[in-house]
Amino acid sequence: MWRIGVVGLMSALFAADPALAQTGRITGSVTSAEGGAPVPGAQVHVQGTSVGAVTRDDGRYTITVQPGTYALRVTRIGFTPDSMANVVVRADEATTADFRLTPSAIRLAEVVAVGYGTQRATQVTGSVQTVGREEFNTGRIVNPEQLIQAKVPGVQVISNNEPGGGTTIRVRGGTSVNASNDPLYVVDGVPIVVGGGISSGRNAMNFINPNDIESITVLKDASATAIYGSRGANGVVLITTKSGAQGTQVTYDVSASNSRVVREPDLLSPSEFRAAVQKYAPSNVTLIGSANTDWLGAIERDATGQEHNLAFSGGRDAMRYRLSLGYLDQEGVIRGTNADRLSAALNYNDRMFGDKLEVRTNLKGTRTKDRFSPNGIIGAAIALAPTQPIRTSTGDWFQWTNSLGANNPVSDLALVSDKGLEYRSVGNIEAKYNAPWVQGLSATVRTGYDYARAERTTFSPSTAQAQAEQNLGGTFTQNNPSQLNTLLETFANYVRPLDALHGAIDLTAGYTYEQFQYDSTRAFAQGLSTDLLGPSGIPAAKTQQNFLDEQDSRLVSFFGRMNYTLYDRYILSASLRRDGSSKFGPGNQWGYFPSAGIAWRASDESFLHGIDWLSNLKLRLSWGVNGNQAFGNYLAYTSYLVGTSTAQVQFGDQFVSIIRPSAVDPNIKWEKTTSTDFGIDYGVFNDRITGSLEYYNKKTKDLIFNVPVAAGTNLSNYVTTNIGTLRNQGVEFGLNARVFDGKDGGFTWDASFNAAHNTNELLALYASGTGNTQILVGGISGAVGNNIQVLEPGQPINSFFVYKHKMQGGKPLYADVAGINAATGKIVNTPDGKITDEDLYVDLNGDGAIDQKDRRAYKSPTPRWTLGQSSNMTWRGFDASYTVRAHLGNYVYNNVASNQGYYNALTGNIPNNLSTSVLKTNFVTPQYFSDYYVEDASFLRMDNVTLGYTFRRLRAARQVRLYGTVQNVFTLTDYTGVDPEAAIVGFNTTFGIDNNIYPRARTFLAGASFTF
């Protein structure tokens, strides 16, 4: 039935097909004479005619001709051409003609995915890198981003440490301030909304089971990403999932793991805490308590995990399929956190009607359940006095009677519920028609969807301390967001050799239409009549509110790309995309995004053929423009908010609710990033060593940011608008080597190394007429409304904005060494009996006073260098692998130490525990803006090490592999906080700020893989 439906769908195409007359077929494959790998993209030409075909990714081809005797010729860049004469074709029969091409000076190179097609790596003019499943990271991998951590130069992948938690990926640095810095993900041809789409609170990309992924390709420069236009400024990540192969195969993978926290904040011990209270807050001695409690240990646990993956795959002739099922259950090392995923995926490929029609279907469905720890329990465990018990002598939970004290985190874990549930499905159906009447011409129609429905439910009973302190009576909240994004793409591709011009051309042109629909309902109830229903329902309540949010946006695009190769050595590419987005107002909805690139395969020149050790040398240069429209809907249009009963205006005897318009900039427009890339691809010793060296320069203008506006304008203090210009530039180096190449089970060792240097600088800033040359960002704990970072021209984005602390004996100065002259108001070097900012900080501007003008942009949270090194080794049945990476030159603000690193924190109504940093600094008062808390967070970390052994033909199984993995093996760093990396989450208000973050764990995993 399915095939009958396809016949009906394509009937219009076949009506004009001359092959429906009495014809025959020539079919076959083109493979490499070295190793037998398929050769895609080869031109198979029927000599003396205009008829021919281009081999597919599997190296196969089909040509429909009239009965007769023919001669065939096959050409492919990097191979010696081949011919075959006397190919006899009979009516209604297929004749097989297979070719084995001998590589020429250019070795057989991999096929890489690019936008709307594939290309040989030797023909790519942009910066493109593919990581295959053999190179993926090992261990408990929950989301796809973790697979390529430390594998691609210039690509940072950072996790927030929670099970299935948020993961940040940055390609050559961030290009925005308020808009998203996430790359565009394209999963089997379906673009995923930037940011991953909705979720119940964890990583939105968790809907993809990493075990289903075949390869991940990262497009880094504009020549590669401009074909995606307004969403390519931060790079493009193409995810290709596994498909079937000929013959039936069943695989089953199972693993179990155990995780344990490896590093905690350094806090005062119970004895140190008692001594500090007795010395600095003697009035609070009666509040000390007699217990010895490890509050962090009380909320932590050894976390277990299990994962099961079952896959059925196979195929025959032109059909391939793969069906997979997966289950993951991973506890977090903080009690109350958990990630549970059930996934299914189906990939189906088929070729029909003499291989003229190719059909692909990819369907994925996932159900995820997440549990979250109650808000603030890590901070409470850090702050709560270690001399207080978890339970009192009566068996009740210990709680401070003063509401200013931290609540008992163990009590909150027992009483407060926070759960998430999400259903998501992503899929597409693609039909590609290879026109028989025009050699090399194909047309593709692709439809796709991305549907998600999430639910996040939190419940705090009336007995929870926060509820009791404020007499709230219990609170229930449920958010139910959903999205439906649909896609229609049509594009044509024309590939043909131009013998007269000694070259070949590859043309692509198409149209896409995408619609994004979002709605969210929210129920809120407070003052519950009973706690008995818990999170399972809403009882009668004093306050009940319901909210509805509906949003809709569209993106329409036209695109084209041209690749031209001359003499197999000179390559030219150009692309243009025109995007129209409904997110912008009239006059700014359309944008043009061009790119161009050239490459020269110098190693194929005759004057280099005498250099035997040089097997590949390609120089490439590219330029292009990308956009960024990943920000909120309707920001160019005024919205209206109806005020509550507490915000009414009196007219006579009546109170009237107000309607407040939002602040808007109707002229808000695209962020545009212009980038230039120069690269060298190399291979030596018959490509035993390969790699690349690159330089890039990216400049983003019209940065979108929520900025302060002049008082009395725009109906608000802030408005989202275009504010300035940002530049990223850097160099990247990659090296891959076959260190040992054992034969017949001998020792093999494949090693790779990559290094990337990136710097960013805010070039210009214009803050909506306020005259501001600085915008403060990066909110911190401590006091109210404090910010520790700044946006300032000439400085890196999110530079820390601090005072320069005077140092004495390797420690920050905390002593009375200066005072203020009463007559002049200036600093004098005479103690005045008190310790103030004038004693502690350097007067940088020399005006004789310490004030905001002495704070300066200092250091950046962005690493200047990122390094990665991976190795894979085999010997007979054994295999081993590891991944090591390093960040150098990145800084983190230790907000735990600054917020709890002064003795006066003991003198309030409730004495909180302190950071051990106070033992070194002796700070009595808080020094939030001291550069002492901006710490060098450079690190070297071994992410994973794996050892396995494979048994061949073990009973009913074709093979069985047993393996063990350790993740987070070690970390070397001078940073004194919990994790030098977890605060690196993106260009936003928490970038580079360590404030009660989720701890990193070491994981031990054992597993087995069965193939039948």
Side-chain angles (χ1 to χ4, degrees):
M1 291 297 294
W2 187 85
R3 291 195 175 209
I4 293 174
V6 173
V7 172
L9 177 66
M10 306 301 294
S11 59
L13 289 173
F14 286 109
D17 189 347
L20 293 180
Q22 192 173 31
T23 58
R25 289 179 295 140
I26 305 173
T27 66
S29 64
V30 179
T31 57
S32 171
E34 293 185 5
V39 179
Q43 306 279 343
V44 184
H45 180 61
V46 180
Q47 292 183 300
T49 74
S50 60
V51 179
V54 179
T55 57
R56 299 180 294 271
D57 290 346
D58 59 1
R60 298 192 61 82
Y61 72 94
T62 299
I63 302 173
T64 302
V65 293
Q66 300 295 322
T69 301
Y70 299 94
L72 303 181
R73 179 175 172 80
V74 181
T75 58
R76 184 66 178 92
I77 294 174
F79 295 88
T80 302
D82 194 9
S83 299
M84 183 181 296
N86 300 317
V87 178
V88 178
V89 179
R90 296 181 175 84
D92 300 325
E93 294 183 9
T95 300
T96 300
D98 295 330
F99 295 87
R100 291 175 60 83
L101 300 184
T102 301
S104 57
I106 307 172
R107 286 174 53 86
L108 176 63
E110 64 180 354
V111 175
V112 296
V114 294
Y116 306 100
T118 59
Q119 283 184 278
R120 302 290 295 177
T122 54
Q123 294 179 337
V124 173
T125 61
S127 184
V128 178
Q129 184 160 342
T130 297
V131 182
R133 58 180 173 176
E134 300 85 1
E135 306 165 82
F136 287 159
N137 283 313
T138 56
R140 178 65 74 233
I141 305 296
V142 181
N143 51 63
E145 299 100 315
Q146 295 172 315
L147 294 171
I148 61 171
Q149 191 171 44
K151 301 295 184 179
V152 182
V155 176
Q156 284 180 263
V157 180
I158 304 103
S159 171
N160 73 354
N161 300 337
E162 291 189 51
T167 300
T168 297
I169 182 169
R170 292 290 174 265
V171 179
R172 293 182 167 179
T175 62
S176 186
V177 179
N178 254 155
S180 176
N181 284 291
D182 292 327
L184 172 67
Y185 292 93
V186 181
V187 181
D188 289 329
V190 178
I192 305 299
V193 63
V194 173
I198 69 168
S199 74
S200 61
R202 294 248 165 86
N203 189 342
M205 295 301 292
N206 286 350
F207 77 91
I208 303 178
N209 184 344
N211 192 66
D212 288 331
I213 296 176
E214 177 70 24
S215 66
I216 297 178
T217 300
V218 183
L219 314 182
K220 294 191 287 185
D221 75 327
S223 175
T225 62
I227 195 71
Y228 288 103
S230 63
R231 295 172 294 180
N234 296 302
V236 179
V237 178
L238 307 178
I239 298 176
T240 302
T241 57
K242 296 175 182 176
S243 57
Q246 192 160 358
T248 301
Q249 180 173 280
V250 179
T251 60
Y252 172 61
D253 299 303
V254 59
S255 64
S257 63
N258 184 272
S259 304
R260 176 173 293 185
V261 174
V262 293
R263 191 168 183 176
E264 297 176 342
D266 291 326
L267 304 172
L268 296 187
S269 67
S271 60
E272 291 171 331
F273 178 77
R274 289 188 180 94
V277 173
Q278 291 167 355
K279 180 177 181 180
Y280 292 96
S283 61
N284 282 338
V285 167
T286 57
L287 300 176
I288 290 180
S290 59
N292 294 299
T293 303
D294 178 4
W295 287 105
L296 283 170
I299 66 171
E300 296 170 352
R301 65 181 173 186
D302 285 355
T304 61
Q306 60 173 316
E307 185 171 14
H308 305 265
N309 289 289
L310 178 65
F312 305 87
S313 62
R316 54 174 178 75
D317 298 331
M319 185 270 289
R320 301 287 187 270
Y321 71 90
R322 184 178 187 271
L323 172 65
S324 65
L325 302 171
Y327 176 71
L328 167 73
D329 181 16
Q330 179 61 52
E331 293 179 339
V333 291
I334 297 295
R335 297 181 186 275
T337 58
N338 188 79
D340 181 288
R341 177 178 62 209
L342 183 64
S343 64
L346 171 65
N347 285 10
Y348 179 84
N349 306 328
D350 205 351
R351 299 195 304 272
M352 299 175 246
F353 308 114
D355 289 350
K356 289 188 289 296
L357 178 64
E358 300 177 44
V359 177
R360 292 184 175 89
T361 300
N362 300 283
L363 300 173
K364 299 167 190 65
T366 307
R367 186 273 294 150
T368 57
K369 292 181 179 180
D370 293 309
R371 292 181 59 204
F372 305 86
S373 58
N375 227 4
I377 69 161
I378 295 178
I382 291 173
L384 206 53
T387 55
Q388 300 298 339
I390 295 175
R391 289 185 182 268
T392 65
S393 58
T394 63
D396 296 324
W397 298 111
F398 167 80
Q399 298 287 1
W400 291 114
T401 56
N402 191 308
S403 61
L404 296 178
N407 295 334
N408 187 329
V410 184
S411 169
D412 283 347
L413 280 171
L415 298 175
V416 179
S417 170
D418 189 351
K419 298 180 180 181
L421 174 66
E422 180 184 352
Y423 294 93
R424 188 163 186 179
S425 179
V426 174
N428 72 306
I429 298 177
E430 174 184 311
K432 179 181 178 181
Y433 182 68
N434 300 296
W437 57 86
V438 179
Q439 179 184 350
L441 177 64
S442 65
T444 300
V445 177
R446 178 187 296 147
T447 61
Y449 70 92
D450 178 2
Y451 173 76
R453 178 171 61 85
E455 178 183 288
R456 179 78 176 268
T457 304
T458 58
F459 170 72
S460 297
S462 58
T463 53
Q465 183 67 8
Q467 300 287 315
E469 287 174 345
Q470 303 176 55
N471 196 29
L472 298 178
T475 301
F476 175 95
T477 304
Q478 187 173 89
N479 293 300
N480 297 90
S482 66
Q483 70 176 29
L484 175 60
N485 304 329
T486 54
L487 165 75
L488 171 64
E489 291 183 329
T490 61
F491 56 95
N493 178 246
Y494 180 65
V495 181
R496 186 173 179 84
L498 303 176
D499 295 336
L501 299 177
H502 308 286
I505 194 166
D506 184 342
L507 301 175
T508 301
Y511 163 84
T512 72
Y513 176 88
E514 295 178 68
Q515 182 168 351
F516 310 92
Q517 296 173 298
Y518 169 87
D519 69 75
S520 177
T521 59
R522 179 172 179 262
F524 173 82
Q526 198 166 74
L528 308 179
S529 60
T530 178
D531 292 331
L532 293 178
L533 294 180
S536 302
I538 307 176
K542 294 179 180 179
T543 302
Q544 291 191 1
Q545 295 176 322
N546 296 302
F547 304 87
L548 174 64
D549 180 16
E550 294 184 348
Q551 299 183 32
D552 184 273
S553 64
R554 294 173 177 82
L555 182 67
V556 176
S557 308
F558 302 88
F559 61 88
R561 179 177 59 212
M562 182 273 292
N563 295 312
Y564 178 67
T565 304
L566 179 65
Y567 289 113
D568 292 352
R569 299 190 295 276
Y570 312 107
I571 306 163
L572 170 67
S573 68
S575 70
L576 176 65
R577 180 159 176 143
R578 183 174 187 250
D579 278 351
S581 173
S582 64
K583 290 188 174 184
F584 300 95
N588 293 305
Q589 292 181 322
W590 290 92
Y592 291 87
F593 305 97
S595 77
I598 57 174
W600 173 38
R601 290 196 51 80
S603 56
D604 203 33
E605 297 287 356
S606 58
F607 60 82
L608 290 178
H609 285 174
I611 305 177
D612 295 336
W613 54 267
L614 181 65
S615 50
N616 179 35
L617 179 63
K618 182 174 76 172
L619 283 70
R620 47 186 168 81
L621 176 67
S622 66
W623 169 93
V625 180
N626 293 112
N628 192 345
Q629 50 116 31
F631 63 99
N633 293 317
Y634 315 125
L635 294 183
Y637 304 95
T638 301
S639 60
Y640 295 88
L641 177 66
V642 178
T644 64
S645 59
T646 60
Q648 294 181 321
V649 178
Q650 184 176 3
F651 287 93
D653 296 332
Q654 286 188 319
F655 289 87
V656 179
S657 295
I658 62 173
I659 300 177
R660 292 174 291 172
S662 64
V664 300
D665 177 6
N667 297 315
I668 193 170
K669 55 188 176 181
W670 308 87
E671 287 185 348
K672 284 194 173 183
T673 299
T674 302
S675 63
T676 303
D677 181 277
F678 173 72
I680 300 174
D681 299 327
Y682 63 88
V684 297
F685 306 122
N686 203 28
D687 277 1
R688 188 158 179 169
I689 299 176
T690 62
S692 63
L693 176 65
E694 302 193 50
Y695 166 80
Y696 63 88
N697 189 309
K698 302 196 299 183
K699 185 176 180 181
T700 304
K701 66 178 184 178
D702 297 322
L703 290 170
I704 295 172
F705 192 68
N706 191 37
V707 299
V709 295
T713 66
N714 223 322
L715 304 169
S716 176
N717 296 328
Y718 289 85
V719 66
T720 301
T721 185
N722 304 99
I723 67 162
T725 305
L726 170 69
R727 180 176 62 203
N728 277 273
Q729 58 182 340
V731 294
E732 297 170 353
F733 173 74
L735 182 148
N736 304 288
R738 173 59 64 95
V739 183
F740 289 98
D741 190 5
K743 303 295 184 181
D744 300 324
F747 180 68
T748 64
W749 179 12
D750 291 321
S752 65
F753 172 78
N754 65 80
H757 172 72
N758 173 269
T759 58
N760 73 80
E761 180 185 354
L762 185 63
L763 299 178
L765 180 69
Y766 34 94
S768 298
T770 64
N772 291 344
T773 57
Q774 295 176 333
I775 298 176
L776 297 184
V777 295
I780 59 172
S781 295
V784 177
N786 282 340
N787 293 288
I788 200 64
Q789 294 173 322
V790 67
L791 303 179
E792 180 180 333
Q795 301 295 333
I797 289 286
N798 289 80
S799 293
F800 300 103
F801 195 53
V802 291
Y803 294 113
K804 183 177 181 180
H805 207 120
K806 299 175 183 176
M807 300 298 291
Q808 188 177 68
K811 299 180 181 180
L813 177 67
Y814 193 79
D816 179 20
V817 297
I820 300 293
N821 186 300
T824 64
K826 303 295 185 180
I827 298 174
V828 293
N829 294 323
T830 303
D832 60 1
K834 56 185 178 181
I835 299 176
T836 63
D837 289 350
E838 287 73 24
D839 297 298
L840 310 182
Y841 301 133
V842 176
D843 179 16
L844 290 179
N845 64 352
D847 64 356
I850 299 297
D851 53 26
Q852 290 291 311
K853 296 176 183 177
D854 292 299
R855 291 174 68 184
R856 90 288 195 197
Y858 174 72
K859 303 299 184 182
S860 169
T862 304
R864 296 181 65 85
W865 284 96
T866 57
L867 311 174
Q869 199 276 309
S870 298
S871 284
N872 291 277
M873 292 159 279
T874 63
W875 179 70
R876 296 184 179 177
F878 290 96
D879 64 88
S881 65
Y882 69 82
T883 299
V884 177
R885 62 192 169 93
H887 286 185
L888 305 177
N890 55 297
Y891 286 76
V892 169
Y893 178 78
N894 191 336
N895 199 188
V896 174
S898 70
N899 191 38
Q900 297 184 239
Y902 60 98
Y903 286 115
N904 270 359
L906 303 171
T907 62
N909 294 326
I910 299 299
N912 288 330
N913 201 5
L914 303 181
S915 165
T916 55
S917 67
V918 74
L919 302 177
K920 178 179 180 179
T921 65
N922 290 312
F923 290 163
V924 175
T925 57
Q927 306 301 320
Y928 301 119
F929 302 118
S930 170
D931 62 1
Y932 173 75
Y933 295 113
V934 179
E935 299 186 37
D936 185 348
S938 301
F939 68 87
L940 171 69
R941 170 171 287 151
M942 175 171 275
D943 280 327
N944 56 73
V945 58
T946 295
L947 178 65
Y949 185 82
T950 301
F951 298 89
R952 308 289 180 182
R953 295 291 178 183
L954 186 63
R955 296 191 177 182
R958 296 182 188 174
Q959 68 177 37
V960 176
R961 178 175 179 261
L962 304 179
Y963 60 92
T965 298
V966 182
Q967 291 176 273
N968 190 26
V969 183
F970 64 79
T971 301
L972 304 179
T973 182
D974 290 332
Y975 179 62
T976 63
V978 172
D979 187 351
E981 183 182 24
I984 306 175
V985 295
F987 285 169
N988 54 43
T989 55
T990 62
F991 180 36
I993 300 173
D994 179 352
N995 184 17
N996 301 329
I997 60 178
Y998 199 99
R1000 187 175 290 270
R1002 177 171 297 125
T1003 298
F1004 296 87
L1005 179 145
S1009 298
F1010 301 86
T1011 302
F1012 301 94

